[in-house]
Amino acid sequence: MKKLAFILTSIILISATAKVSTGSTGDDETSSHNLGISVPEVALVDVEGPSGEGTTINLSPNINNLEAGAAVDFTTANDNSLWLNYTSIIEQGNNGNGNGNGSSKTRKIKAEIDENLPDGLDLMLEVGTIASGSGQTGTAIQEKIALKKGPTTVIDDIGSCYTENGAGKGHRLTYSLAVKDNKFDKVMAETFSVQVTYTITEN
């Protein structure tokens, strides 16, 4: 009986010694490693219409039922078939000590035309409220804006967000023509074109 107890004790001691020696290799019951994560900044904008990106539209007043002596109704020269889409991931702001916990930056979208319209006419733009998307989508300037050669802010306070892509997504764009006050004598029969450009920038 004493011999059996001695054998059992020896086996237990050997097992304990084996466990300790396994740990001496540097391995343990758990293991870990580092993993780096990088989120890129994103600032993308485009205009979508029934024919996709870069659709051309035409504005002309309706004179089918115009009576002699009546003013040409330039409010009939309008189009609302285009939509503004954008995707944004903003950079975390810095609170001054380098740890990146300050207020986040925001972005805005500006619109401009490449040349001014002939004297007497204005190209008006109205940007609708957001129709789709997720995140901190921007706030549209809720008034008609006369576009000019030079940027004008049309959407502000954009954070990290997306509007979804395509016609019917994001912000509806409504274009119209308007006669400048007391300048009907400057309106001439002609055909001309302008290019409207939207740019997303940091505030």
Side-chain angles (χ1 to χ4, degrees):
M1 187 70 176
K2 289 181 179 180
K3 186 175 182 181
L4 179 61
F6 175 78
I7 292 172
L8 289 173
T9 302
S10 299
I11 292 172
I12 292 170
L13 288 172
I14 291 170
S15 298
T17 302
K19 186 174 182 181
V20 171
S21 64
T22 299
S24 66
T25 64
D27 293 334
D28 206 340
E29 289 87 351
T30 63
S31 181
S32 62
H33 70 89
N34 294 327
L35 186 151
I37 297 175
S38 178
V39 179
E41 279 193 76
V42 179
L44 301 172
V45 61
D46 72 7
V47 177
E48 296 277 352
S51 301
E53 186 177 351
T55 301
T56 298
I57 61 172
N58 294 288
L59 303 180
S60 182
N62 186 345
I63 59 171
N64 290 336
N65 298 312
L66 184 65
E67 296 283 347
V72 175
D73 185 3
F74 276 86
T75 64
T76 60
N78 62 76
D79 183 280
N80 64 358
S81 64
L82 302 183
W83 293 77
L84 189 66
N85 302 164
Y86 50 88
T87 300
S88 171
I89 296 179
I90 59 174
E91 181 183 10
Q92 178 68 45
N94 196 307
N95 66 1
N97 60 15
N99 65 10
N101 292 324
S103 299
S104 298
K105 298 178 180 179
T106 59
R107 293 189 169 111
K108 57 189 170 185
I109 293 177
K110 297 180 177 182
E112 60 183 309
I113 52 179
D114 62 342
E115 58 182 280
N116 291 319
L117 270 66
D119 197 16
L121 289 178
D122 277 326
L123 176 60
M124 309 300 294
L125 170 67
E126 186 174 2
V127 180
T129 56
I130 191 74
S132 61
S134 182
Q136 187 179 333
T137 50
T139 301
I141 306 301
Q142 289 299 292
E143 58 184 29
K144 283 186 177 182
I145 297 169
L147 293 177
K148 62 181 186 298
K149 190 176 179 180
T152 300
T153 298
V154 295
I155 300 176
D156 204 359
D157 198 31
I158 300 171
S160 292
C161 65
Y162 61 92
T163 62
E164 299 185 25
N165 182 57
K169 307 297 183 181
H171 298 266
R172 183 191 288 275
L173 303 176
T174 300
Y175 294 96
S176 59
L177 292 179
V179 179
K180 292 180 180 178
D181 290 342
N182 301 318
K183 286 198 173 182
F184 198 91
D185 60 316
K186 303 296 183 181
V187 178
M188 302 295 169
E190 57 183 314
T191 299
F192 57 92
S193 65
V194 295
Q195 184 177 71
V196 184
T197 299
Y198 293 88
T199 306
I200 183 168
T201 64
E202 289 187 353
N203 272 323

